[in-house]
Amino acid sequence: MKFLLIISLFFCSLQSSSQESGTPLLHTDSDNLTIYLDGQKDEFNGINRLQSRFDYSFVVPKDSVVFVLVSKSDSISITLKPKINSAVNIVRTSMSDTVRCFFTMEKLVKPATFSDQYKRDNDGKTIIEVPEVYELMNVIFALTEYGKSGAIEKETTYYNAVVNHFSEHAKHAAVQLADSLLKVSPGYFYLHLKMDSYAYIFSDNNIVNGGIYNRIATGDRNELEPYIPMLENFAVKSGFRKFYDANKEYYTSLRSQLRDQVDIAKMKTWLEEQFPSTKYSVLKLIFSPLVGWNQSAAFLSDNEFTEAQAHINFPFIKAADKQLPEEVLRGKRMLIAFTEINHAYLNPEAEKYRKLIDSVFRNLSEWNTSGKPSAGYDEPLICFEEYMNYALVTLYYSEILDKKAFETLTRTIENNMVEFRGFQRFKEFNQQLLLLYRQKKAEQTVSDLYLPIINWASRQVF
């Protein structure tokens, strides 16, 4: 259970289960309360940061649930039901005011439903997409304050076209809401709103669930769902669908580059060979020309069908890249897609050794660097997975690039991982995995090297 204080921004259309006069009161002089949801204890922190209204919906696997809220002096107990808002007034005695809270619940559903027809249509495919509602969400991001950062790719004529077409709509409610959410929790909401938008399609001017996905990003709910009416309104007011149609040829050209120049299918083939126990029925690459530097992945399973999604930024050729040798440029452009796709294979293998990894990598300060991006990999397993992520790039490059390009790109990756990202031991780790790969028996695969590389890491003295 996790409370995000930005939920107070939600626009609620649920009916209230209680009138003002009968609303339960809870007094507190603390910034923290205790919650019991169906007997499970959790903390509700940041009470003093709430605005005058706070809305929150729990996701639970039941049709109703008992909700208990406890302060040092009071407690209240109510039964939550779907689509019914239960009001609670929290009296903040230290601030001499009252927060009007509305709690409800929604039934937990599975992230994806793969019908037999969907399986027949997609089995064995590698699909590359610039989805329409997904692009709408990225256009909205581009109009926010957050969009001024490197999260948005600006060195393209396409970005200029977006600005010229949509800038007059920067004050629209959908943009203002996205801007507010991103200011509170940029990492969380950028990822969830973008990925969850893939669950939707246009039906005329309406945005509807496509009938396949409930949500894409991790978590129990689709974070975009409450804001769909706003997106619909923005799309109509801004003429988004005409803009998208006018740029379909451009999207198709980028998709072709990924398929032909980056060779996604070859990556998938190599990964399947090296991780024989991990298979996906379909691989999807989902991107927007507006995405600057953010990548993420999703792995979904239903009805004996598995789907891996890589959400990436397009590997545009920058001015400085044009001076690179052809093979070096080829390898560099593969990096974005490969480092996201490979998580679909390396992560399940790492899970098999989780207990050992937790022990060997328990002292993260020996592997990461405080104050650098590596510090965000704050669990042994995800730290190890990121070491493996880029070490796999070295192994793949060793198979497909000429010697000079391989050595050039390996040095670049090692320097970036150590100096910029702060993975202190990446160079040693990388070279050791490469040695193991070159010395493995013909019938062995990368998955067979997990235990040897973890054992090597256990013997290191820092």
Side-chain angles (χ1 to χ4, degrees):
M1 190 194 309
K2 180 180 180 182
F3 272 94
L4 291 166
L5 300 187
I6 39 65
I7 304 302
S8 59
L9 296 170
F10 277 4
F11 291 81
C12 296
S13 59
L14 305 175
Q15 74 179 76
S16 177
S17 66
S18 54
Q19 302 298 316
E20 183 68 37
S21 59
T23 300
L25 285 176
L26 186 83
H27 296 79
T28 181
D29 59 3
S30 171
D31 193 39
N32 307 313
L33 297 174
T34 300
I35 286 172
Y36 293 91
L37 190 67
D38 204 26
Q40 180 182 346
K41 182 180 179 181
D42 209 332
E43 299 302 316
F44 183 5
N45 302 319
I47 303 301
N48 293 333
R49 286 179 286 154
L50 295 180
Q51 299 177 17
S52 59
R53 173 169 173 148
F54 175 80
D55 295 82
Y56 195 85
S57 176
F58 295 95
V59 182
V60 296
K62 297 183 175 183
D63 294 323
S64 65
V65 65
V66 176
F67 172 65
V68 180
L69 196 58
V70 181
S71 71
K72 292 180 181 178
S73 58
D74 286 341
S75 68
I76 61 101
S77 177
I78 53 181
T79 298
L80 302 180
K81 296 181 179 181
K83 298 183 180 180
I84 300 293
N85 255 355
S86 295
V88 174
N89 285 335
I90 298 179
V91 180
R92 298 185 289 199
T93 56
S94 62
M95 301 176 69
S96 300
D97 66 2
T98 299
V99 179
R100 179 84 162 156
C101 299
F102 293 91
F103 297 101
T104 187
M105 60 151 286
E106 52 192 289
K107 185 80 175 286
L108 178 67
V109 299
K110 56 188 178 182
T113 300
F114 298 134
S115 67
D116 291 341
Q117 183 63 50
Y118 183 84
K119 292 167 63 175
R120 287 191 292 270
D121 291 344
N122 293 276
D123 191 29
K125 292 184 178 180
T126 297
I127 298 171
I128 304 172
E129 299 179 88
V130 183
E132 192 172 8
V133 178
Y134 192 86
E135 190 59 16
L136 171 63
M137 195 68 244
N138 281 284
V139 165
I140 290 172
F141 285 149
L143 300 176
T144 66
E145 283 295 314
Y146 186 71
K148 296 177 181 179
S149 73
I152 297 297
E153 173 59 58
K154 302 179 182 65
E155 297 180 30
T156 64
T157 55
Y158 178 75
Y159 171 75
N160 294 331
V162 168
V163 171
N164 290 337
H165 186 98
F166 294 100
S167 58
E168 65 180 286
H169 303 283
K171 298 298 183 182
H172 189 278
V175 178
Q176 297 302 297
L177 176 70
D179 189 62
S180 298
L181 297 175
L182 292 168
K183 284 178 179 176
V184 173
S185 184
Y188 180 87
F189 277 103
Y190 177 83
L191 177 101
H192 281 73
L193 296 179
K194 182 181 75 171
M195 293 182 74
D196 286 347
S197 70
Y198 185 62
Y200 297 96
I201 60 174
F202 274 98
S203 176
D204 295 325
N205 287 328
N206 298 318
I207 297 175
V208 299
N209 188 285
I212 302 167
Y213 311 99
N214 173 266
R215 58 194 179 278
I216 310 298
T218 56
D220 294 335
R221 60 162 59 86
N222 185 309
E223 295 289 1
L224 185 62
E225 183 178 8
Y227 315 126
I228 292 300
M230 285 187 180
L231 265 66
E232 289 176 337
N233 186 269
F234 176 87
V236 171
K237 292 285 182 65
S238 67
F240 169 78
R241 299 206 73 190
K242 289 183 179 179
F243 178 86
Y244 182 85
D245 285 342
N247 284 278
K248 279 186 176 178
E249 187 175 335
Y250 176 64
Y251 304 143
T252 298
S253 71
L254 297 182
R255 290 168 55 208
S256 297
Q257 286 187 55
L258 280 176
R259 187 177 301 279
D260 302 332
Q261 299 176 21
V262 179
D263 203 348
I264 302 302
K266 189 172 184 177
M267 294 178 186
K268 183 174 183 284
T269 297
W270 186 82
L271 288 164
E272 287 178 343
E273 290 173 351
Q274 299 304 325
F275 295 89
S277 65
T278 301
K279 298 291 183 184
Y280 291 96
S281 309
V282 62
L283 169 64
K284 291 187 175 183
L285 250 72
I286 301 157
F287 75 97
S288 161
L290 290 170
V291 175
W293 43 247
N294 186 287
Q295 305 94 38
S296 54
F299 318 114
L300 303 161
S301 178
D302 178 60
N303 193 19
E304 299 181 341
F305 188 87
T306 54
E307 178 168 304
Q309 295 181 7
H311 294 247
I312 66 170
N313 52 299
F314 187 82
F316 288 106
I317 301 175
K318 308 292 186 180
D321 294 337
K322 295 177 181 179
Q323 310 302 316
L324 295 173
E326 184 177 345
E327 265 303 82
V328 172
L329 179 57
R330 184 168 80 96
K332 184 177 180 181
R333 295 191 75 203
M334 292 179 177
L335 186 65
I336 292 170
F338 187 80
T339 53
E340 209 54 52
I341 294 171
N342 68 16
H343 276 294
Y345 297 86
L346 75 89
N347 288 19
E349 196 67 32
E351 283 285 352
K352 299 176 183 178
Y353 301 94
R354 183 167 194 147
K355 288 185 178 179
L356 182 58
I357 291 170
D358 284 346
S359 175
V360 173
F361 286 78
R362 64 185 181 279
N363 295 322
L364 287 174
S365 61
E366 297 174 344
W367 298 94
N368 298 343
T369 304
S370 177
K372 292 195 174 184
S374 61
Y377 296 80
D378 55 0
E379 297 177 15
L381 181 65
I382 63 173
C383 173
F384 171 80
E385 288 171 346
E386 194 64 2
Y387 268 81
M388 283 295 295
N389 181 14
Y390 279 84
L392 282 185
V393 176
T394 297
L395 304 190
Y396 186 60
Y397 280 170
S398 74
E399 295 284 357
I400 66 167
L401 300 179
D402 63 42
K403 182 179 179 182
K404 188 173 181 179
F406 166 73
E407 291 176 347
T408 297
L409 287 168
T410 299
R411 284 195 301 271
T412 299
I413 290 171
E414 289 177 346
N415 289 339
N416 180 69
M417 287 290 285
V418 176
E419 301 301 328
F420 175 72
R421 300 189 71 200
F423 291 97
Q424 300 177 31
R425 308 297 168 184
F426 179 76
K427 183 175 181 179
E428 300 96 312
F429 183 99
N430 192 45
Q431 291 300 318
Q432 179 63 27
L433 189 64
L434 178 62
L435 178 64
L436 290 168
Y437 184 70
R438 286 173 168 169
Q439 293 179 346
K440 69 179 178 65
K441 297 176 182 178
E443 68 274 13
Q444 287 185 305
T445 64
V446 171
S447 62
D448 295 313
L449 305 181
Y450 268 61
L451 191 55
I453 193 64
I454 296 169
N455 287 337
W456 169 85
S458 72
R459 297 192 297 269
Q460 302 309 297
V461 179
F462 304 116

